[in-house]
Amino acid sequence: MKENLIISACLLGTPCRYDGKSVKKIDLAPLLERYNLIPICPEIYGGLSTPRIPSERQGARVVMKDGTDVTEAFRRGAEATLNFAKLNGARRALLKAKSPSCGKGEIYDGSFTATLTDGVGVAAELLISMGIEVFTEDEMDKLL
Ligand code: SF4
């Protein structure tokens, strides 16, 4: 039986990004041989609309470019993502790199100047803290 894998919906071509676009769709064929793909989008789960003003982490807070504090929406979205992972018995997740929700390893630094810093997105952080292994699309080979 195939394992369930949580995956950022934008990596599947869903136009749920802040700008109403998807990202470059990844090659799904090798993944589908091993996994059932379970799409998630923490920012949508948190109640944010699409398109939306971009957000970045500033320490424990998450703020939109216009200064609106969206920490609570990101937290809700992360919890919904975790619940969805648990419901599906998923032990691994493939999430979009650099996102303030889904990123892992490096994310934008909160200055809205396209500057990266070490860090992790809010949903990725929660999944990792609950023992779910998180990979970005740059690490797909580790899942195959
Ligand atoms: Fe993609 Fe995650 Fe951003 Fe949703 S929150 S658009 S799944 S990177």
Side-chain angles (χ1 to χ4, degrees), residues 17-31:
R17 240 172 60 131
Y18 74 89
D19 55 5
K21 297 179 180 166
S22 66
V23 294
K24 188 167 174 281
K25 204 171 155 190
I26 56 174
D27 179 14
L28 295 178
L31 279 177

Side-chain angles (χ1 to χ4, degrees), residues 80-142:
T81 300
L82 174 63
N83 287 338
F84 208 52
K86 284 184 180 169
L87 203 64
N88 286 282
R91 295 180 293 110
R92 296 168 143 199
L94 174 57
L95 302 184
K96 177 72 191 79
K98 303 185 184 103
S99 152
S101 289
C102 293
K104 190 202 79 176
E106 55 180 9
I107 55 172
Y108 292 108
D109 71 351
S111 65
F112 296 95
T113 57
T115 307
L116 291 167
T117 187
D118 291 346
V120 64
V122 177
E125 185 173 31
L126 183 61
L127 294 185
I128 292 166
S129 75
M130 297 307 287
I132 294 174
E133 273 190 291
V134 171
F135 303 84
T136 70
E137 71 272 27
D138 303 325
E139 304 172 304
M140 249 180 68
D141 55 319
K142 295 182 183 166

Side-chain angles (χ1 to χ4, degrees), residues 1-7 31-40 83-94 127 132-133 135 143:
M1 199 169 124
K2 289 188 197 173
E3 184 180 334
N4 286 344
L5 178 71
I6 293 296
I7 184 166
L31 279 177
L32 286 168
E33 282 180 22
R34 287 196 53 176
Y35 300 99
N36 299 312
L37 304 183
I38 313 286
I40 53 89
N83 287 338
F84 208 52
K86 284 184 180 169
L87 203 64
N88 286 282
R91 295 180 293 110
R92 296 168 143 199
L94 174 57
L127 294 185
I132 294 174
E133 273 190 291
F135 303 84
L143 280 165

Side-chain angles (χ1 to χ4, degrees), residues 8-11 16-18 40-44 52 96 99 101-102:
S8 293
C10 55
L11 290 174
C16 52
R17 240 172 60 131
Y18 74 89
I40 53 89
C41 179
E43 290 174 33
I44 300 289
R52 54 190 171 275
K96 177 72 191 79
S99 152
S101 289
C102 293

